[in-house]
Structures are given as structure tokens and as C-alpha cells.
């Protein structure tokens, strides 16, 4: 049996995911807000208790996605780059293990959104013919180094 990948994401990834999930939760909180105002000003016959149920769902969703989920996600995500393949293990409920053969790698990118830029981090995306695989949050220097390493290993396999 193949051993688990050993590389972990930096612990700051938890903060990045918490900020991303906070934004998601704020957007999700628009649902009870809209329902409340629709119920209050347009359709007074709508049930007011539904607003409280929706607020309860938003609070439960927010606590789970902001406090609990990023920590579990960080513990589960691992990756490792070998000469012949990239090994990625991820997932909280459904754990997926992906091997990306170097001969299948078409190109490797680093990308930053505003949240990753705030934390001086980047994501590495590995594109093969079928799909794109992602190592979501690495420090910029590590992401650039990993991108160059995968690119170099992929080009070696292309030459062979």
C-alpha cells in the first residue's frame, strides 16, 4: 500500500479559508434578511417564524463553515511531489486521493485572488488533459518553487 503524502499546507491556510467562508456566510445571510423584509412589507401573510428558522440555519452554517470546517480541511489536505507524479489527498467527508502523472501535466500555474494576496499566498494549479488539480494555499515563494519543480519534472518526462 502506498504511504500517505507528507506535505501539509501552511497553518495560515485556515485563516484564508475562514475569511472565504465568512464571505459565503454573509451572502447566505441575505436569504433570511430578504425573507424578513418581504414578509414584513409585501406579504404579511407569510409566517414570521420561518425568518427565525432561516436565521438559525445561517448561524449553524456559519459556525460550521467558519470555525470547524477549515481546521478539519487543513488536517486532511496533504500533497507530495515525486519524480513521476504529484500525489494529492483532500476532502473532509469524502476523501479523494489523486495521482497526477508527470507525463500528463500540460502546464502549471500559480494564481492569487484578493484574499490570498492579503496573506501573501498563492494557489498552484496543475492542468492535465482531463482536468485541473489544485494545491490551494501556499506561501508565494513555496508556490513558485513548487510550480517550477513540477514544470521541470514534467518537461523531463516529455523529453524522454
Amino acid at each position: 500500500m502506498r504511504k500517505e503524502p507528507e506535505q501539509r499546507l501552511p497553518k495560515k491556510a485556515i485563516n484564508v479559508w475562514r475569511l472565504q467562508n465568512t464571505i459565503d456566510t454573509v451572502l447566505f445571510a441575505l436569504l433570511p434578511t430578504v425573507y424578513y423584509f418581504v414578509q414584513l412589507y409585501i406579504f404579511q401573510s407569510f409566517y414570521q417564524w420561518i425568518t427565525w428558522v432561516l436565521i438559525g440555519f445561517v448561524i449553524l452554517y456559519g459556525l460550521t463553515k467558519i470555525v470547524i470546517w477549515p481546521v478539519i480541511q487543513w488536517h486532511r489536505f496533504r500533497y507530495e511531489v515525486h519524480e513521476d507524479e504529484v500525489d494529492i489527498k483532500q476532502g473532509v467527508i469524502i476523501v479523494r486521493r489523486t495521482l497526477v502523472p508527470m507525463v500528463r501535466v500540460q502546464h502549471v500555474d500559480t494564481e492569487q485572488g484578493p484574499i490570498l494576496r492579503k496573506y501573501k499566498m498563492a494557489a498552484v494549479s496543475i492542468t492535465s488533459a482531463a482536468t485541473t488539480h489544485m494545491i490551494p494555499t501556499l506561501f508565494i515563494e513555496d508556490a513558485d518553487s513548487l510550480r517550477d519543480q513540477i514544470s521541470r519534472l514534467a518537461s523531463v518526462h516529455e523529453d524522454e
Side-chain angles (χ1 to χ4, degrees):
M1 182 158 179
R2 179 185 285 262
K3 73 174 196 167
E4 299 262 321
E6 293 180 0
Q7 297 291 318
R8 287 182 176 249
L9 300 175
K11 273 218 164 191
K12 261 191 171 178
I14 294 171
N15 295 338
V16 170
W17 291 331
R18 281 186 172 150
L19 187 56
Q20 291 170 339
N21 292 340
T22 300
I23 293 169
D24 288 348
T25 302
V26 167
L27 292 175
F28 188 51
L30 290 176
L31 183 67
T33 306
V34 168
Y35 181 84
Y36 173 77
F37 284 110
V38 166
Q39 178 264 324
L40 190 66
Y41 294 113
I42 299 173
F43 300 107
Q44 282 95 17
S45 62
F46 281 13
Y47 297 108
Q48 189 175 10
W49 62 266
I50 293 176
T51 304
W52 295 107
V53 170
L54 291 173
I55 289 171
F57 278 126
V58 168
I59 290 171
L60 188 64
Y61 176 82
L63 284 175
T64 304
K65 288 292 278 187
I66 296 168
V67 177
I68 300 168
W69 198 264
V71 176
I72 297 171
Q73 192 176 10
W74 181 81
H75 278 286
R76 294 290 178 103
F77 192 96
R78 292 171 186 241
Y79 70 98
E80 194 160 350
V81 177
H82 303 285
E83 279 191 33
D84 297 337
E85 62 202 10
V86 179
D87 190 359
I88 301 171
K89 181 183 173 192
Q90 61 186 331
V92 175
I93 296 172
I94 297 172
V95 178
R96 183 178 354 153
R97 182 121 181 234
T98 307
L99 297 173
V100 184
M102 288 299 177
V103 294
R104 299 282 184 201
V105 173
Q106 292 184 335
H107 65 272
V108 186
D109 297 323
T110 54
E111 51 190 66
Q112 281 184 306
I115 296 173
L116 287 176
R117 207 169 320 141
K118 176 184 182 316
Y119 286 94
K120 297 180 176 36
M121 299 181 100
V124 176
S125 63
I126 306 160
T127 304
S128 65
T131 187
T132 300
H133 307 279
M134 187 80 77
I135 299 173
T137 49
L138 293 172
F139 289 112
I140 292 174
E141 304 83 29
D142 297 335
D144 288 342
S145 171
L146 187 65
R147 179 197 61 212
D148 294 344
Q149 180 187 5
I150 294 171
S151 175
R152 195 174 338 101
L153 291 170
S155 67
V156 167
H157 284 276
E158 207 169 84
D159 294 341
E160 291 177 354

